[in-house]
Amino acid sequence: MNELNKRVSEIGVVPVIKLNYPQRDAAPLAKALCAGGVPIAEVTFRAAGADTAIRLMKQACPEILCGAGTVTTTEHVDLAIAAGAEFIVTPGFDPEIVAYCVEKGIAIYPGCTTPTDYHAALKFGLEVLKFFPAEQSGGLAKIKAMAAPFPMFKVMPTGGISLKNLKEYSSSPVICACGGSYMVTADLIENGKWDEITALCRQSVEIVKEARAK
Ligand code: 3PG
């Protein structure tokens, strides 16, 4: 895996974030994640101003790896990269966006859940794919089945991951890292529960460590 993918894999979990008030919440959130040993975020364009959130998170915690999620246009890609994003995540496989990123040397994790998606990803020489929505698409059983014909990919499952199933996913060598919003829910963010976010990150890191030690 390339250096970025190795780093993502080392961290092991990727918080999927929607920030309605980036000016208020981006800096304390970035600090809470880093304090919990999870210096990474997928900041989604589900909320306007995701690029502002990325900029502010990087300012608050320069060591944080910030990606943009729910990217559905090349304009999103441009905004995210200008803000300092280090990777792009798309919900599905959009060949136009993937080609755009690959041509510019921008890391991209496109959402893939079918053999057809994996075929398409092969053409672009990608190493890691997002597997979304993971639980609803067949979960770890499907991820393992897909790894038989496509052993060249590691995946980042997102959708339905929680403290309950994080260990099971993380114990599979096909998994690069697990994405989820359980440690950065709307309630936690809206109510500024930064210590709880840090605690959930710490717990997640421990679970990943345990899962991989086996
Ligand atoms: C995503 O965009 O990756 C998912 O909505 C996150 O899924 P979760 O909320 O089930 O963790």
Side-chain angles (χ1 to χ4, degrees), residues 14 16-17 42 44 46 69-70 89 91 130-134 136 157-162 179-183:
V14 181
V16 178
I17 289 157
E42 176 191 325
T44 66
R46 267 167 239 191
T70 319
V89 185
K130 170 160 169 151
F131 189 89
F132 173 79
Q136 299 84 343
T158 310
I161 310 282
S162 68
S181 64
Y182 66 88
M183 73 298 259

Side-chain angles (χ1 to χ4, degrees), residues 113 118 131 137-151 153 155 157 167-175:
T113 52
Y118 279 47
F131 189 89
S137 305
L140 188 56
K142 185 162 184 192
I143 290 171
K144 286 180 178 168
M146 297 280 280
F150 297 103
F153 294 122
V155 302
K167 188 168 178 183
E168 192 193 350
Y169 274 94
S170 302
S171 64
S172 167
V174 188
I175 304 300

